[in-house]
């Protein structure tokens, strides 16, 4: 390709509203153009990037035995009603009608559709296992589309679905996919971490996320400093806590010594003010969290959670606990008025008589409170707290994992220190089990000739999201840095002075030669200043460049790797194309 023929226009200035560097560079480099909130056009350079990452994903998926299909983007809502997700999925699901009043959804994910394919085609265990995947557009009406391609509304995903006759075979495929995804990300040249994850709205048991490590990442992942434990904070676990975190001790790490008593605590409502009032560490104070759990039909119920004063509740964990008994879509903080209406006083809530006052089924205690004593808690009466509380004396309390792991907590595997890292989720693999096959009646006949529900796995990879994820990790202050396999061109030959016919002819011959040897090469023969061409190379981030300039008269050219801008002189002789091929390897 010659640069003068390339359909691209780069921008000097940073577009407003683009806060992340990946978003800025993708717009400035003319890879993409925004056409609406969370919707983008891909221009030639952007389309080629998509193709490069899709090819890597496709090659690795095919190599692991999966088969490519293409499913309709527009999905009849009947299928979604059968699975129950038409109501459950919430507002990210775009629902609409055609001229005959038939209802449809724009597929945000395709479990229903692929299960119906399986239902229509799979009869016997002999046809199993099978893994079908597609690389296709998805639509999710995200609440806050942002950061360009990182969180779009319309985006491109690789979604794969596997079908099995046994749980063991699903486990095997799940492991195969973990390895496949690792190979994909290694080829894309990014640092990543595989972590345990929540299964979210898609449902099922057991899931792992693939996180590209980058400071801007929206996901907090908890990693162990000494072993390989890693989990999304949404489900991360820790060893039970027995004392305040050493770095947080303010008063005394020992519990306050007091016989059970009521204390007048006027206007002392927050954990911090209580800690000051009693001169005790927040670890010994019972923190009450009141949430409003909302169902798909907008009905809601209050739920009560208790954690140690120096812990926070983790919304995903709390929601999952509630959903073991009911089906809630989301959690909101309960307002002071709603708390009052339940017969309670915000700031003075405690476990004594709580069930009686609220009649609630949903009262939970964090695991680190199991049989805890010498606590301070609200007395369920304005301006009063109780001191010397022993939870061990209560009967029938439900202890569950609801607190968010903090840095400094201990690893559940090896007891060493846990810390946080920021990640961008680019892949997510799930063991779905029979959730969809049961709902949609997708069965197979087993060896005994009996019908059983198909056992399923599903495997998502963000084709368009991986582009900004790579940039968030690899780009520098000058522009994009793409790894070799993702870069739009392997090399850009930059002619320093196009009016110099020796430079021009030499570059053109080399361009043809490299092309004939299968190198994807861009010839920058534009009638522009050298500085302009160099800036474009730096912004667009092609894997490498070869500068044909003044030094050519001394038989030399300069080879530059974009990553780190490492420079190297090469001899401009008849072995040059070979030397370049070696340098590219
Ligand atoms: P997130 O928590 O970031 O919203 P998710 O858990 O909803 O992601 P999945 O349903 O597991 O994502 O989808 C599979 C993959 O699709 C994700 O790992 C991600 O790479 C990609 N993806 C999901 N939502 C978006 C989006 N709004 N824009 C771009 N890519 C997305
Ligand atoms: Mg999402």
């Amino acid at each position: 390709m010659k640069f003068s023929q390339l359909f691209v226009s780069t921008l000097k200035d940073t577009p407003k509203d683009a806060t992340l560097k990946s978003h800025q560079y993708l717009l400035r480099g003319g890879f993409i153009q925004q056409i609406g909130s969370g919707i983008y056009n891909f221009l030639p350079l952007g389309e080629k990037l998509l193709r490069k990452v899709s090819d890597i994903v496709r090659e690795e998926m095919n190599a692991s035995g999966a088969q490519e299909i293409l499913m309709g983007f527009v999905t009849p809502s009947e299928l979604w009603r059968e699975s129950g997700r038409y109501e459950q999925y919430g507002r990210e699901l775009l629902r609409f009608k055609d001229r005959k009043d038939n209802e449809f959804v724009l597929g945000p994910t395709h479990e229903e559709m692929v299960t119906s394919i399986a239902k229509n085609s799979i009869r016997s265990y002999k046809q199993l296992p099978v893994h079908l995947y597609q690389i296709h557009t998805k639509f999710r009406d995200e609440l806050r589309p942002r950061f360009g391609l990182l969180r779009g509304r319309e985006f491109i995903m690789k979604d794969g679905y596997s079908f099995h006759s046994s749980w063991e075979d699903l486990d095997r495929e799940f492991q195969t996919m973990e390895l496949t995804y690792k190979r994909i990300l290694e080829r894309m040249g990014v640092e990543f971490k595989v972590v345990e994850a929540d299964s979210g709205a898609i449902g099922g048991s057991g899931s792992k996320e693939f996180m590209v490590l980058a400071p801007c990442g929206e996901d907090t992942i908890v990693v162990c400093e000494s072993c390989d434990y890693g989990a999304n904070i949404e489900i991360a676990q820790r060893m039970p806590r027995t004392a305040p975190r050493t770095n947080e001790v303010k008063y005394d790490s020992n519990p306050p010594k007091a016989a059970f008593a009521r204390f007048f605590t006027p206007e002392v409502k927050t954990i911090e003010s209580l800690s000051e009032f009693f001169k005790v560490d927040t670890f010994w104070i019972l923190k009450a969290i009141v949430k409003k759990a909302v169902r798909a039909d907008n009905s809601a119920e209050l739920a009560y959670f208790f954690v140690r004063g120096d812990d926070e509740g983790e919304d995903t964990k709390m929601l999952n606990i509630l959903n073991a008994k009911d089906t809630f879509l989301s959690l909101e903080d309960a307002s002071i008025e709603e708390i009052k209406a339940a017969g309670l006083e915000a700031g003075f809530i405690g476990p004594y008589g709580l069930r009686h006052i609220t009649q609630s089924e949903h009262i939970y205690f964090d695991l680190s409170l199991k049989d805890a004593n010498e606590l301070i808690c609200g007395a369920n009466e304005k301006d009063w707290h109780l001191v010397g509380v022993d939870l061990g004396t209560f009967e029938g309390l439900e202890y569950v994992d609801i607190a968010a792991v903090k840095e400094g907590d201990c690893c559940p595997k090896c007891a060493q220190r846990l810390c946080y890292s920021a990640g961008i989720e680019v892949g997510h693999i799930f063991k779905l089990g029979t959730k969809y096959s049961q709902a949609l009646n997708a069965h197979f006949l087993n060896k005994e000739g009996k019908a059983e529900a198909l056992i399923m796995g599903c495997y998502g990879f963000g084709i368009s999201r991986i582009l900004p994820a790579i940039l968030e990790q690899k780009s520098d202050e000058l522009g994009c840095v793409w790894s070799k396999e993702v870069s739009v061109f392997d090399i850009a030959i930059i002619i320093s002075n196009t009016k110099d016919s020796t430079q021009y002819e030499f570059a053109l011959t080399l361009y043809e030669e490299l092309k004939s040897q299968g190198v994807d090469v861009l010839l920058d023969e534009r009638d522009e200043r050298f500085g302009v061409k160099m800036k474009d190379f730096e912004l667009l981030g092609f894997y490498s460049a070869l500068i044909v300039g003044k030094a050519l008269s001394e038989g030399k050219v300069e080879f530059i790797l974009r990553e780190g801008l490492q420079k190297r002189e090469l001899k401009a002789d008849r072995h040059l194309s070979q030397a370049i091929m070696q340098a590219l390897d």
Side-chain angles (χ1 to χ4, degrees):
M1 183 91 214
K2 291 182 179 163
F3 206 132
S4 61
Q5 288 158 12
L6 196 61
F7 182 75
V8 61
S9 65
T10 55
L11 310 170
K12 267 208 204 81
D13 298 322
T14 301
K16 42 178 198 333
D17 308 332
T19 47
L20 292 189
K21 59 181 185 173
S22 59
H23 191 189
Q24 294 169 359
Y25 291 155
L26 285 170
L27 289 169
R28 278 186 54 207
F31 294 96
I32 57 169
Q33 261 174 8
Q34 183 164 6
I35 39 175
S37 167
I39 310 179
Y40 294 86
N41 286 328
F42 286 83
L43 302 184
L45 292 180
E47 193 280 334
K48 196 157 167 207
L49 284 174
L50 279 181
R51 194 140 37 92
K52 290 261 178 163
V53 299
S54 309
D55 283 350
I56 295 175
V57 171
R58 188 173 276 125
E59 278 168 31
E60 295 298 337
M61 289 300 291
N62 292 348
S64 72
Q67 297 173 57
E68 190 166 1
I69 57 171
L70 197 57
M71 292 184 269
F73 177 37
V74 173
T75 315
S77 34
E78 275 152 51
L79 285 174
W80 281 73
R81 287 195 194 278
E82 274 181 62
S83 73
R85 280 207 296 186
Y86 190 78
E87 288 80 22
Q88 276 164 31
Y89 206 89
R91 303 190 64 184
E92 277 186 27
L93 183 66
L94 188 66
R95 303 156 171 94
F96 61 95
K97 287 182 179 171
D98 69 7
R99 64 170 85 198
K100 291 182 183 154
D101 250 12
N102 296 316
E103 289 180 316
F104 291 90
V105 305
L106 277 189
T109 170
H110 279 70
E111 284 78 9
E112 282 80 356
M113 189 83 113
V114 79
T115 307
S116 99
I117 294 180
K119 181 180 171 173
N120 292 330
S121 325
I122 297 174
R123 301 272 162 265
S124 152
Y125 72 94
K126 290 180 196 151
Q127 291 167 279
L128 300 172
V130 64
H131 186 149
L132 304 173
Y133 76 97
Q134 65 171 349
I135 295 177
H136 201 14
T137 304
K138 296 273 178 280
F139 190 92
R140 295 183 183 178
D141 201 354
E142 297 272 355
L143 179 63
R144 275 187 295 276
R146 59 191 181 283
F147 308 142
L149 301 181
L150 274 180
R151 188 169 297 283
R153 291 199 299 161
E154 188 181 281
F155 59 95
I156 299 170
M157 200 204 286
K158 186 285 294 176
D159 47 328
Y161 308 86
S162 66
F163 299 89
H164 309 268
S165 59
S166 73
W167 289 88
E168 294 72 49
D169 198 46
L170 169 63
D171 289 347
R172 178 203 49 75
E173 185 67 7
F174 189 80
Q175 278 170 22
T176 304
M177 278 301 121
E178 179 171 345
L179 295 176
T180 306
Y181 275 37
K182 283 181 176 167
R183 270 199 306 274
I184 289 171
L185 289 168
E186 275 156 18
R187 284 181 65 181
M188 291 181 182
V190 282
E191 256 185 85
F192 63 94
K193 183 105 192 156
V194 187
V195 300
E196 289 171 24
D198 177 50
S199 298
I202 291 184
S205 64
S207 84
K208 286 191 176 178
E209 285 169 341
F210 295 76
M211 297 285 186
V212 168
L213 303 175
C216 78
E218 287 186 285
D219 281 283
T220 300
I221 54 184
V222 173
V223 289
C224 177
E225 285 184 345
S226 31
C227 79
D228 65 351
Y229 180 76
N232 192 311
I233 192 164
E234 293 175 345
I235 59 133
Q237 297 181 351
R238 62 186 181 190
M239 294 289 251
R241 300 180 59 213
T242 51
R245 293 178 190 88
T246 42
N247 58 329
E248 289 175 359
V249 172
K250 195 167 167 194
Y251 294 103
D252 186 352
S253 49
N254 294 316
K257 291 281 171 222
F260 181 73
R262 256 161 62 97
F263 270 80
F264 185 54
T265 50
E267 290 303 313
V268 186
K269 291 183 182 173
T270 63
I271 297 291
E272 282 63 40
S273 56
L274 271 171
S275 153
E276 216 155 287
F277 186 92
F278 287 108
K279 304 276 180 278
V280 298
D281 275 297
T282 53
F283 180 77
W284 306 106
I285 302 171
L286 201 55
K287 182 191 279 183
I289 303 168
V290 188
K291 291 280 178 181
K292 189 164 107 177
V294 188
R295 296 191 188 83
D297 61 4
N298 270 331
S299 65
E301 236 178 90
L302 293 194
Y304 306 86
F305 300 93
F306 290 94
V307 297
R308 295 249 178 206
D310 56 357
D311 273 333
E312 307 294 334
E314 168 55 48
D315 274 6
T316 304
K317 288 184 181 179
M318 295 192 281
L319 187 61
N320 287 345
I321 293 296
L322 295 177
N323 278 335
K325 289 185 188 165
D326 202 323
T327 313
F328 294 105
L329 271 191
S330 63
L331 288 185
E332 294 167 11
D333 289 335
S335 68
I336 292 180
E337 294 71 38
E338 284 162 341
I339 291 173
K340 227 186 183 86
L344 297 169
E345 220 20 89
F348 304 96
I349 300 172
Y352 281 93
L354 186 62
R355 183 152 292 158
H356 182 71
I357 300 167
T358 61
Q359 299 296 316
S360 176
E361 287 288 300
H362 300 299
I363 301 173
Y364 300 98
F365 293 79
D366 184 58
L367 287 178
S368 71
L369 288 164
K370 183 120 182 76
D371 298 330
N373 53 17
E374 304 180 295
L375 298 171
I376 296 173
C377 71
N380 289 331
E381 193 179 332
K382 188 171 185 312
D383 294 340
W384 289 89
H385 276 90
L386 302 171
V387 178
V389 172
D390 183 352
L391 289 181
T393 62
F394 284 73
E395 266 181 29
L397 297 190
E398 284 190 68
Y399 291 103
V400 287
D401 180 17
I402 45 179
V405 171
K406 283 197 174 176
E407 287 194 312
D409 287 346
C410 298
C411 174
K413 264 172 117 177
C414 75
Q416 295 303 302
R417 193 175 181 279
L418 292 170
C419 61
Y420 285 174
S421 180
I424 300 170
E425 180 201 317
V426 292
H428 198 168
I429 60 175
F430 296 83
K431 290 181 194 171
L432 284 176
T434 55
K435 180 177 157 129
Y436 295 92
S437 50
Q438 261 172 351
L440 277 78
N441 287 315
H443 295 100
F444 69 99
L445 292 180
N446 67 15
K447 277 191 183 141
E448 286 76 46
K450 284 213 181 84
E452 275 185 55
L454 287 160
I455 297 166
M456 294 172 59
C458 84
Y459 317 89
F461 188 92
I463 298 285
S464 50
R465 182 181 279 183
I466 189 71
L467 300 178
I470 293 172
L471 290 183
E472 284 304 325
Q473 189 178 87
K474 292 176 77 85
S475 66
D476 58 20
E477 65 288 349
L478 299 170
C480 301
V481 175
W482 303 108
S483 54
K484 171 145 188 283
E485 285 212 53
V486 173
S487 173
V488 178
F489 293 101
D490 299 329
I491 189 165
I493 301 175
I494 302 174
I495 306 173
S496 174
N497 176 7
T498 356
K499 296 209 175 73
D500 179 329
S501 60
T502 328
Q503 284 182 24
Y504 192 97
E505 292 304 327
F506 181 86
L508 193 66
T509 314
L510 181 66
Y511 165 71
E512 296 295 351
E513 204 175 318
L514 286 174
K515 247 189 0 174
S516 71
Q517 296 186 43
V519 179
D520 197 357
V521 45
L522 177 76
L523 179 67
D524 193 348
E525 30 57 292
R526 289 174 300 165
D527 189 13
E528 293 279 2
R529 281 185 296 114
F530 173 67
V532 172
K533 293 190 259 198
M534 217 27 219
K535 280 225 150 48
D536 278 344
F537 163 67
E538 286 160 355
L539 174 62
L540 298 171
F542 304 134
Y543 181 67
S544 67
L546 190 86
I547 315 294
V548 179
K550 274 198 197 114
L552 183 66
S553 54
E554 296 147 35
K556 290 181 213 147
V557 287
E558 192 173 45
F559 178 81
I560 307 177
L561 276 181
R562 175 63 186 87
E563 188 159 7
L565 290 175
Q566 304 161 50
K567 294 179 182 158
R568 174 138 66 101
E569 234 172 46
L570 294 180
K571 277 193 197 137
D573 57 17
R574 63 193 172 87
H575 302 298
L576 180 59
S577 65
Q578 228 169 346
I580 290 173
M581 308 263 284
Q582 267 165 16
L584 286 176
D585 243 2

